[in-house]
Amino acid sequence: MLNLYGMITEPMFWWVATVSAIVFAASIVAVPWLILRLPSDYFNHRHRIMIRPQTRASVYYHCVWIVLKNIAGAAFLTMGVAMLVLPGQGLLTIFIGLSLLDFPGKYQLQRSLVSKPFILKPLNWIRRKGGKADFIVHSS
C-alpha cells in the first residue's frame, strides 16, 4: 500500500504498528519463558547434542516441526529487517528469527554471544528471578 510517492499509507502504517506491538508483547512473555526452560548447562557443550526421533511417526513430526520452525524464523528475520526502518523492535525480532533458524555454526555463535558478560548477566538475572540455576558457560 504505497502512494504515488512510494510512501507508506496510513492504513499500512497501522497494520505495521499493530504487528510490531504484538511481536513486542509476545517477546516480553516468550523470551523469559524460553530462557527458564533451558537447562543450566545448555551452553556448556562443545557441540549441540542432537536428539534423534525413535519411531517413524516421530520422525515425520520432527521434520514438520523443523520446517515450521525455520519458516517462522525466516518470517521473524524478514519482519525484523523491515522494522529497522519501520516502527518496531527490529533487532529483537531479528535475534528471535535467528534463534529459530537452523544454520551451520549457530550453536558456536550462541555460545560465543552468551559467554560475553554483558549478555550472560541479564540471562542469569532472569533465571534467578525464575528460581533456576545460572547458566554454566566455559569458554573453549
Side-chain angles (χ1 to χ4, degrees):
M1 299 258 252
L2 300 176
N3 66 13
L4 184 61
Y5 303 106
M7 300 178 70
I8 296 176
T9 60
E10 189 174 344
M12 182 61 143
F13 170 79
W14 289 111
W15 277 106
V16 170
T18 302
V19 169
S20 175
I22 290 169
V23 169
F24 177 70
S27 68
I28 288 174
V29 173
V31 170
W33 181 78
L34 290 170
I35 291 169
L36 292 173
R37 289 189 42 95
L38 295 175
S40 62
D41 66 344
Y42 184 79
F43 299 106
N44 201 26
H45 306 284
R46 274 184 114 39
H47 302 285
R48 169 65 51 229
I49 298 171
M50 300 299 292
I51 299 172
R52 305 278 182 219
Q54 300 299 319
T55 65
R56 186 177 297 248
S58 62
V59 169
Y60 171 76
Y61 291 122
H62 182 75
C63 289
V64 169
W65 168 251
I66 298 260
V67 168
L68 291 175
K69 183 174 75 88
N70 279 287
I71 289 171
F76 273 100
L77 185 63
T78 304
M79 287 188 299
V81 170
M83 285 183 209
L84 289 175
V85 294
L86 299 171
Q89 303 73 33
L91 290 176
L92 178 61
T93 308
I94 288 171
F95 289 135
I96 291 170
L98 287 174
S99 70
L100 290 172
L101 289 172
D102 292 321
F103 57 89
K106 174 184 165 183
Y107 180 65
Q108 285 75 20
L109 175 64
Q110 288 174 331
R111 281 187 66 198
S112 172
L113 290 173
V114 169
S115 68
K116 309 285 187 240
F118 65 91
I119 293 178
L120 184 60
K121 284 180 185 178
L123 292 177
N124 284 335
W125 180 81
I126 291 170
R127 290 183 63 80
R128 277 185 234 115
K129 287 288 190 185
K132 300 285 185 171
D134 287 359
F135 280 123
I136 302 165
V137 181
H138 293 293
S139 58
S140 55

